[in-house]
Amino acid sequence: MIYSLNGHEIAELFERIKKDFETYGTIDVQGDVIFSKIEKYHELKIARSDKPPKEFLIGRNENVLTLPEPSKKAVFGVMSCDLKGFYIMDRQIYGKDPFYTIKRENTIFVNYVCTEPCKTGFCSAFGGPLMDDYQIQVVNYEKDKYVVYVNDKYDSYFKGFKQASNDEISKVENLMKRFNEKQEKHNVEGIENRIKWNSKLWDKYAKICIQCGACNYSCPTCYCFDLNDVGDERIREWDSCILAGFTRTSAGNPRENLSSRLRQRFYHKFVYYKKSRGVYLCTGCNRCTDDCPVDIEIKEVIDHDYDSE
Amino acid sequence: MAQISVCPYCGTGCQIVVPEKNEPFFVSGYNASPVNNGKLCIKGYTGLSYSFSKDRLRYPLLKNNEEFVRISWDDAIEIVADRLLKIREKYGPDAVAFQSSAKCTNEENYLMQKMARVFGTNNIDHCARSCHSPTALGLINTLGTGAATGSIRSLEGTHTFFIIGSNTTEQHPIIGSKIISEVRKGKKLIVADPRKIKLAEMADIHMQFRPGTDVALLNSLMYVIITEKLYDQEFIDNRTEGFEELREEVMKYDPLITSEITGIEPDLVYEAARIYATNRPSAIFYAMGITQHIHGTENVMNVSNLALITGNLGRYGSGIFPLRGQNNVQGSSDMGALSEFYPGYVRWDSDRIQKFSKLWNSSLPTKRGLTLSEMFDKAADGEIKAIYLMGENPLITEANIARVEEGIDNLEFFVVQDIFMTLTAAKADLVLPAASSLEKEGTFTNTERRIQRIFPVYDPPGEAKPDWWILNKVGSKMNLWKEYEGPEEIFNEIREAIYNYSGATYENIYPIGKQWPINKENPEGTEILHTKSFPLGRGKLIPIKFNPPSESVDGEYNLIMTTGRNYFHWHSGTMTRLSQILEREAPEPYVEISNEDARERNIRNGQVVHVVSRHGEIMIKARVTNLVPKGVVFIPFHYKESRVNLLVGENLDPISRIPEFKVVAVKVIP
């Protein structure tokens, strides 16, 4: 269902959800935006968080020897590009990774749809900020006016709120159309066929990459991890495919040099996942570039003229 | 609520955002920080897990028949105070030595040195001795201030980067990445390093000179600058003194002659000199490659000479950047945790120490204090009876560790305050469990002189306590001071002690720190030093004569070994080696050896070899690589499995007493 709410009603919605869920949201910490537990809707700062919400479903470090009791969480203020990461990951790990799955099933993400392109994102290349898959999706299309798209599962929280009119819905649709026109264009379609194994890009990046791991840690779709037994726990920790140890084996390393590891990251995103799971492993959030200390541009990987090489 | 804090690793001092106690632990960079603009390196992202390690020390431990037993804090503090006072009574205050830590806050370092001095001795020192003591002494001699002259932000204005003896992308990755970004915009990059470091790959010029020949190389660069008149005459006339004397010495270093010493083609030296002198503003970056030599202080002064004659000081984008290894080595040195300096670099033998006598309401010691390596030496000789050590692990990091061990074994009383049971702590009579930097309040001062705050986000494990808390209790138990209420009160005393800190308050250095000098004249702090004049008035040009390093190769010891760190680990590894990811990346010690040298000796990649110096021997795996040139081998010092410092002799710089970690003659045997 699609509802039409005002600011007061959104706050009311928060209170209703809070009865069943622990509530989290983006807050301002000295100018940075981070996820934190919140008790009141007005604590929420609607702005993209400085890191992705990934850790709500995949702990930075978590013990995977025993499945924890699920805790029900509702996370407000997730941006669409970040939420999309989970829907993309679902294709690979939902139902297979029990730790991810149990959290996925017990967490509501309330995503907010951008109405103006941000400085660096290129989500339009992947369909733009209005998502087809969502739990509760909020579009603040005019001051104090919200169109809220609701998955049937959560309809009960909207009792008494009025449905959005066709007029309101078309306003949102127009807004989205304008958004997609306005945003800088990057044509990702078909990159799986264009991209080149021997492209000079990989060496160019290897020369400057300092292997900080930021592109992996900040990515809303990177889900790779490492496992270590530490004392009586088996710790699963976020990993980075930029590091040599990621693929080192007793028989050597298939990706010994940095250039091949950087290439692997982009091939996983734009070739392998597309071919095996049907979608690109990228949402156009541009976080990997924003957080990269040496400005390796994912957009360059997309736009690069491989044929001329 | 999440907190802004500071990464505990290198001197860059990246600001981090730490989630609150019950949230999933994931550190990210603080976007508003002028230091790192939200970026971090792999150590920042994955290296902080040590704080939650099950191996953390939880309780004060007293050694009883070779076994540690848990005791209460009251007893622990009583024991420290009692034993130290008794030793003072019996042997005098100079029989006790205090070792502070560049990993601890300004407040803690201040308390530690105050404890030593009010106790009655100048025997206070810390690991800055082994890294940047030549910087403090050298730059104070030539300019008047021993610190980086510009800011990290000001590198945007730099036109030429000259890196000598710093593997910046691995040891100060965020500064290194800043240099990479600037060079990609077309700025010039000159690298002087015996190893083929990452920055060398993208450099306009890489001078792969022989370890220990820095003075000859720098003099040759100045030879070119002077003979081709590329110097800044106006700057030399108005801002410096001693140019004629410098010219006279430098003219002996024709690149044609020095190429025999340094191994560098004269053409390369000419080209580098021209770029550095003319494509201004130019900035020099150096680290241990300059300082860890018997002529470390002279090296620093020669770096200063080069910057002075080309007018590369006091302007945005120019300057000298000694890159600090530890997150607070600038601060711990500022605080006077060095035997020859009181807070604010007041020399122990100057009249100005009266100020501290008044401030601390105490008489002050009149004898010169011992430096780090001397403390262990004198302990071995029986003159030092007790050492109170905070947050260091000398049994891995010091030179000539066999002697260090002898010294420690000879002590009557040895207290170690740490967050882990390190190799060194295991030798202590009493171990005091400390809080990590995520568990305490205080300030750190980074490599660009920026004073930044940290906050207690987590509770320390067990009964562990912040270092300032422990020092505070011990000091008051010994009647050295009245107990402080907390770090802010200590900081306010620091502001009285050090004029350059006087304008900083806990409020105005949050969330973004401020760069000292911050005082009445500079209420907002100071981004660029020496814009109008030097603290000394004029910058001093001091001619430096080349002398060979302490060790040289001969028929038997035919390779030069240089030591250092790798990207993934930190010093003795007590913190980084607990991070699963970092440990996976660099799990074991190795010696880098060139293809040619390996072939000559029939050494395969991965083979275990013996590395033998005139001082000791270790076994270690060979890593055959083209990163080092023929004739040079490199070993990182992180690993307790093969402690490379067993090979390093105790050859000290006569001025700063830093050991020569960078030049050791060795042989490598399969």
Side-chain angles (χ1 to χ4, degrees):
Chain A
M1 293 286 270
I2 307 176
Y3 292 90
S4 167
L5 275 65
N6 60 31
H8 179 73
E9 288 164 331
I10 286 270
E12 165 65 21
L13 172 68
F14 179 88
E15 291 299 324
R16 290 181 189 180
I17 291 177
K18 202 178 129 189
K19 288 203 177 86
D20 300 331
F21 291 83
E22 285 177 57
T23 42
Y24 287 79
T26 38
I27 60 162
D28 184 303
V29 177
Q30 299 294 337
D32 267 24
V33 180
I34 72 154
F35 286 104
S36 178
K37 197 142 193 280
I38 58 173
E39 298 302 329
K40 287 273 168 250
Y41 184 74
H42 67 75
E43 292 174 58
L44 190 68
K45 166 155 175 129
I46 306 294
R48 191 173 79 169
S49 55
D50 289 303
K51 47 187 187 179
K54 204 157 61 173
E55 52 196 305
F56 282 106
L57 302 191
I58 308 177
R60 180 73 178 75
N61 295 283
E62 62 186 325
N63 181 11
V64 291
L65 275 186
T66 48
L67 205 56
E69 281 297 310
S71 67
K72 290 165 81 83
K73 288 180 181 169
V75 187
F76 286 76
V78 175
M79 291 293 141
S80 300
C81 51
D82 283 335
L83 178 63
K84 196 165 196 164
F86 293 130
Y87 284 97
I88 294 175
M89 271 188 216
D90 281 346
R91 296 174 182 235
Q92 176 69 20
I93 57 180
Y94 181 75
K96 296 181 190 129
D97 172 352
F99 298 88
Y100 175 85
T101 307
I102 194 167
K103 288 184 205 163
R104 183 81 168 108
E105 285 169 349
N106 285 283
T107 309
I108 306 182
F109 291 102
V110 181
N111 71 298
Y112 281 66
V113 176
C114 298
T115 51
E116 279 294 322
C118 60
K119 251 192 238 152
T120 58
F122 56 103
C123 56
S124 302
F126 302 92
L130 191 68
M131 306 254 304
D132 298 330
D133 296 318
Y134 51 81
Q135 287 160 297
I136 297 173
Q137 171 162 263
V138 179
V139 190
N140 183 192
Y141 69 101
E142 267 172 31
K143 197 173 167 8
D144 206 39
K145 287 183 174 169
Y146 299 82
V147 166
V148 183
Y149 296 74
V150 185
N151 185 305
D152 294 346
K153 230 169 126 183
Y154 307 104
D155 234 13
S156 57
Y157 293 107
F158 287 79
K159 233 172 245 159
F161 293 150
K162 72 169 191 288
Q163 287 196 19
S165 67
N166 285 341
D167 184 42
E168 284 169 319
I169 293 169
S170 69
K171 261 188 189 159
V172 168
E173 280 167 358
N174 284 332
L175 202 58
M176 288 301 114
K177 220 173 120 194
R178 269 210 309 283
F179 179 103
N180 288 338
E181 281 162 10
K182 215 161 145 188
Q183 199 180 50
E184 204 180 84
K185 293 282 166 301
H186 297 279
N187 182 19
V188 72
E189 278 318 309
I191 185 171
E192 64 275 27
N193 303 318
R194 295 196 300 275
I195 198 166
K196 255 201 192 137
W197 189 255
N198 294 322
S199 170
K200 62 187 182 207
L201 285 183
W202 322 131
D203 282 341
K204 174 176 144 182
Y205 297 154
K207 212 167 143 189
I208 57 174
C209 171
I210 62 162
Q211 303 183 63
C212 67
C215 49
N216 298 113
Y217 297 134
S218 68
C219 178
T221 69
C222 278
Y223 51 75
C224 292
F225 58 84
D226 193 28
L227 268 183
N228 284 289
D229 285 350
V230 182
D232 56 357
E233 292 182 335
R234 176 156 298 169
I235 299 295
R236 177 164 91 169
E237 180 175 4
W238 290 6
D239 207 346
S240 164
C241 54
I242 303 305
L243 302 174
F246 183 75
T247 43
R248 190 187 299 127
T249 72
S250 55
N253 195 340
R255 296 198 279 272
E256 187 63 68
N257 59 51
L258 182 53
S259 129
S260 64
R261 299 198 290 274
L262 287 157
R263 173 179 59 202
Q264 162 64 23
R265 182 161 189 278
F266 293 117
Y267 263 68
H268 189 205
K269 300 239 161 283
F270 295 129
V271 182
Y272 306 142
Y273 208 77
K274 173 77 172 169
K275 289 187 173 168
S276 66
R277 295 287 174 268
V279 291
Y280 298 112
L281 193 61
C282 177
T283 70
C285 69
N286 208 51
R287 282 183 185 278
C288 52
T289 304
D290 294 342
D291 283 357
C292 177
V294 296
D295 310 315
I296 293 175
E297 294 252 7
I298 193 164
K299 290 178 200 163
E300 185 183 33
V301 175
I302 294 171
D303 295 341
H304 185 68
D305 182 2
Y306 293 94
D307 285 341
S308 72
E309 277 191 61
Chain B
M1 183 81 145
Q3 284 286 10
I4 314 293
S5 193
V6 177
C7 175
Y9 288 108
C10 76
T12 309
C14 294
Q15 283 188 284
I16 54 178
V17 184
V18 187
E20 66 184 301
K21 216 184 309 185
N22 302 315
E23 297 298 305
F25 181 73
F26 176 38
V27 163
S28 61
Y30 179 44
N31 284 319
S33 172
V35 176
N36 55 312
N37 306 108
K39 324 279 191 207
L40 291 177
C41 77
I42 191 77
K43 286 192 282 283
Y45 280 119
T46 71
L48 276 80
S49 49
Y50 69 87
S51 196
F52 311 98
S53 165
K54 292 197 171 75
D55 296 339
R56 285 283 302 276
L57 289 170
R58 286 152 199 278
Y59 306 102
L61 298 170
L62 181 68
K63 199 176 273 169
N64 192 352
N65 293 330
E66 296 306 302
E67 291 273 317
F68 280 114
V69 291
R70 176 178 166 183
I71 60 170
S72 71
W73 269 115
D74 284 349
D75 288 349
I77 286 156
E78 177 76 41
I79 291 168
V80 181
D82 183 60
R83 295 292 307 268
L84 293 183
L85 289 174
K86 283 207 172 116
I87 286 169
R88 179 171 75 176
E89 206 172 297
K90 196 165 166 197
Y91 305 100
D94 288 322
V96 178
F98 297 82
Q99 299 184 351
S100 203
S101 171
K103 277 267 168 284
C104 290
T105 63
N106 288 326
E107 291 77 358
E108 289 155 354
N109 277 285
Y110 178 82
L111 277 195
M112 190 58 136
Q113 65 82 33
K114 179 174 173 181
M115 180 184 288
R117 280 158 177 149
V118 178
F119 184 84
T121 179
N122 280 320
N123 291 342
I124 165 76
D125 215 27
H126 73 295
C127 62
R129 182 67 52 197
S130 322
C131 68
H132 270 297
S133 54
T135 295
L137 289 154
L139 294 184
I140 283 174
N141 263 344
T142 60
L143 310 176
T145 305
T149 63
S151 68
I152 294 171
R153 193 177 68 113
S154 72
L155 307 186
E156 286 162 12
T158 304
H159 286 184
T160 301
F161 296 90
F162 179 27
I163 321 286
I164 178 163
S166 153
N167 189 357
T168 324
T169 56
E170 295 201 13
Q171 301 316 332
H172 301 86
I174 293 305
I175 294 176
S177 68
K178 183 109 184 160
I179 294 170
I180 288 177
S181 299
E182 292 302 318
V183 170
R184 284 182 85 196
K185 292 180 198 159
K187 311 285 184 71
K188 295 284 182 197
L189 173 63
I190 304 164
V191 173
D193 200 301
R195 293 173 74 215
K196 205 181 276 172
I197 58 173
K198 185 165 190 101
L199 283 177
E201 262 182 69
M202 62 189 312
D204 296 280
I205 293 173
H206 178 205
M207 296 182 282
Q208 214 168 357
F209 67 118
R210 295 195 185 107
T213 62
D214 313 67
V215 167
L217 180 67
L218 290 164
N219 278 347
S220 274
L221 289 168
M222 287 190 277
Y223 173 96
V224 176
I225 289 165
I226 291 175
T227 51
E228 298 195 348
K229 296 202 166 24
L230 306 174
Y231 47 82
D232 185 332
Q233 187 70 55
E234 202 188 323
F235 195 88
I236 291 171
D237 290 347
N238 298 334
R239 303 280 310 267
T240 72
E241 60 190 41
F243 183 62
E244 279 317 310
E245 291 83 347
L246 178 73
R247 180 209 297 262
E248 203 177 306
E249 178 64 31
V250 159
M251 291 320 280
K252 298 172 190 159
Y253 295 82
D254 187 322
L256 271 172
I257 300 169
T258 56
S259 72
E260 296 284 316
I261 303 168
T262 60
I264 302 301
E265 288 296 315
D267 286 356
L268 222 49
V269 177
Y270 273 91
E271 209 184 324
R274 286 171 192 149
I275 296 174
Y276 174 80
T278 60
N279 187 41
R280 294 186 300 167
S282 306
I284 306 182
F285 298 78
Y286 72 83
M288 304 301 91
I290 281 288
T291 60
Q292 289 180 335
H293 290 282
I294 51 159
H295 43 257
T297 311
E298 293 183 333
N299 278 345
V300 170
M301 293 193 285
N302 225 12
V303 163
S304 163
N305 287 337
L306 178 63
L308 281 169
I309 64 166
T310 50
N312 274 314
L313 277 167
R315 300 172 192 177
Y316 192 80
S318 71
I320 300 174
F321 292 82
L323 296 176
R324 302 292 177 149
Q326 308 249 22
N327 57 336
N328 199 35
V329 69
Q330 181 69 55
S332 54
S333 303
D334 295 345
M335 294 306 121
L338 291 167
S339 60
E340 66 270 63
F341 290 122
Y342 276 69
Y345 303 96
V346 175
R347 279 195 65 93
W348 66 278
D349 51 0
S350 92
D351 295 336
R352 289 163 58 211
I353 64 165
Q354 287 321 312
K355 169 182 170 184
F356 301 105
S357 177
K358 230 195 251 162
L359 183 64
W360 301 337
N361 195 16
S362 162
S363 60
L364 296 173
T366 50
K367 261 184 74 186
R368 186 183 81 83
L370 300 175
T371 61
L372 210 51
S373 43
E374 288 172 332
M375 289 173 182
F376 295 112
D377 233 13
K378 297 284 180 198
D381 292 345
E383 282 176 46
I384 290 289
K385 302 291 183 187
I387 291 180
Y388 184 171
L389 180 153
M390 167 170 80
E392 294 206 355
N393 193 4
L395 277 177
I396 293 187
T397 55
E398 274 296 292
N400 198 5
I401 36 188
R403 181 74 173 165
V404 172
E405 194 151 359
E406 198 186 326
I408 290 175
D409 288 341
N410 205 25
L411 289 171
E412 283 185 17
F413 185 54
F414 185 35
V415 193
V416 173
Q417 188 167 310
D418 208 302
I419 60 175
F420 289 110
M421 185 60 81
T422 61
L423 218 53
T424 308
K427 291 236 167 215
D429 300 296
L430 180 63
V431 176
L432 304 175
S436 80
S437 69
L438 297 175
E439 299 156 356
K440 64 186 179 188
E441 187 174 17
T443 57
F444 289 137
T445 306
N446 80 349
T447 195
E448 49 158 12
R449 298 168 277 109
R450 191 180 297 277
I451 312 162
Q452 309 187 109
R453 284 180 73 184
I454 60 164
F455 295 88
V457 187
Y458 299 90
D459 298 326
E463 290 175 4
K465 294 285 184 194
D467 293 282
W468 68 261
W469 183 95
I470 306 170
L471 295 168
N472 191 17
K473 292 276 183 203
V474 171
S476 77
K477 193 84 191 172
M478 292 197 288
N479 277 322
L480 305 180
W481 55 65
K482 203 176 122 259
E483 249 185 65
Y484 295 85
E485 269 175 31
E488 186 166 10
E489 191 187 348
I490 305 167
F491 189 76
N492 286 336
E493 187 174 314
I494 293 170
R495 296 170 56 206
E496 278 181 65
I498 308 175
Y499 185 60
N500 280 347
Y501 277 68
S502 61
T505 66
Y506 266 25
E507 287 72 47
N508 72 13
I509 56 168
Y510 181 77
I512 289 165
K514 287 197 162 53
Q515 291 176 274
W516 66 253
I518 171 165
N519 46 34
K520 220 184 325 164
E521 293 79 37
N522 311 287
E524 285 305 306
T526 311
E527 183 173 6
I528 310 291
L529 293 181
H530 319 313
T531 49
K532 295 197 180 70
S533 67
F534 296 102
L536 290 178
R538 282 171 174 267
K540 285 198 176 45
L541 295 165
I542 300 174
I544 308 288
K545 192 169 165 291
F546 170 73
N547 283 305
S550 58
E551 297 199 6
S552 53
V553 293
D554 59 21
E556 189 184 1
Y557 299 97
N558 50 14
L559 294 167
I560 288 293
M561 177 188 81
T562 169
T563 71
R565 308 192 298 222
N566 63 36
Y567 177 42
F568 298 101
H569 285 306
W570 186 263
H571 288 201
S572 72
T574 44
M575 292 151 70
T576 47
R577 296 200 72 189
L578 294 173
S579 156
Q580 305 295 335
I581 299 275
L582 296 178
E583 180 66 356
R584 180 192 73 193
E585 290 306 309
E588 55 183 9
Y590 53 88
V591 51
E592 285 180 3
I593 183 166
S594 71
N595 292 314
E596 294 95 315
D597 287 325
R599 201 174 312 125
E600 267 174 30
R601 291 164 181 75
N602 279 321
I603 291 168
R604 282 170 294 110
N605 191 26
Q607 177 178 346
V608 175
V609 296
H610 297 260
V611 181
V612 189
S613 79
R614 295 174 181 121
H615 316 280
E617 171 176 355
I618 57 173
M619 280 171 74
I620 194 165
K621 272 191 188 170
R623 186 178 283 183
V624 180
T625 169
N626 62 3
L627 291 178
V628 287
K630 181 172 162 40
V632 176
V633 295
F634 168 81
I635 302 181
F637 68 85
H638 312 295
Y639 299 94
K640 58 183 173 196
E641 303 92 309
S642 295
R643 290 181 292 165
V644 67
N645 281 320
L646 284 165
L647 307 181
V648 180
E650 209 176 336
N651 302 303
L652 302 183
D653 172 9
I655 307 172
S656 69
R657 291 166 201 271
I658 194 171
E660 187 153 66
F661 291 96
K662 294 291 186 193
V663 185
V664 181
V666 297
K667 56 182 169 183
V668 177
I669 311 165

